Amino acid sequence: ATAIASKASIIPITVPMNPNIGAKAINKDNQEIFFSNNPICTPPYPITAFSADSIPSSTIAVRISPIIEKAGIFLDESLQLTKILCKMDIDLLHVSCWDVFQGVTGDEDGPSLTKRFAEVVPEHIPLISTGAVWTSKDAQWLMEEGADLVGVARVAIAHPDWPMHLADVDYSPQRPPFTEQHLLDVDLSPVFVEYMKRWKNFVIDGN
């Protein structure tokens, strides 16, 4: 499940992880490629068109990481990629920031990453931004920066009812580390709890 906050409402969304469901993409050689909704699935070819005809009522959302310089991903190129994607048939753009509050190296006093992308994404394409959001004030700040949707991961793992509390402007749920029992009490499976121990300082007595 993924928790999100939007400008229109605060809603929890459950995403079915069915590996048999996929979107059809067409590369520059007019070859059809199918992708599952597995989050580790990445396009093996440059994509020049999208089609969702194979899935009724489908939504095409593109997730990008704006800056990972060690991997050769630079902000200027990500902004250019965003402009290209917004001219294609996408329904939503997801900018996955490791930390939405962190300034851009060399321009720390400039606009936030979210605002930089909001300035190039047209109004008809919702922008979702994620990264280190924890409190209702964090979510409100991010929407003021231009995000239409606020995505969370770690806080929603430990607090799956997170969206339901955002009407409280002072909502600030417990931060990690968490006990194993807390995670089990919010319906994480024992296998998932063991996995979360790999995340630094997320589980007491974990890594």
Side-chain angles (χ1 to χ4, degrees), residues 74-92:
F74 297 93
L75 178 59
D76 288 347
E77 294 176 350
S78 294
L79 290 169
Q80 289 299 317
L81 173 62
T82 295
K83 293 176 183 178
I84 293 170
L85 288 168
C86 290
K87 294 178 181 178
M88 302 168 73
D89 242 348
I90 68 170
D91 298 301
L92 181 148

Side-chain angles (χ1 to χ4, degrees), residues 45 75 113 115 125 144 155 165 172 194:
Y45 314 106
L75 178 59
L113 277 174
K115 180 166 286 189
I125 297 178
E144 291 171 356
V155 67
H165 296 278
S172 181
E194 287 301 313

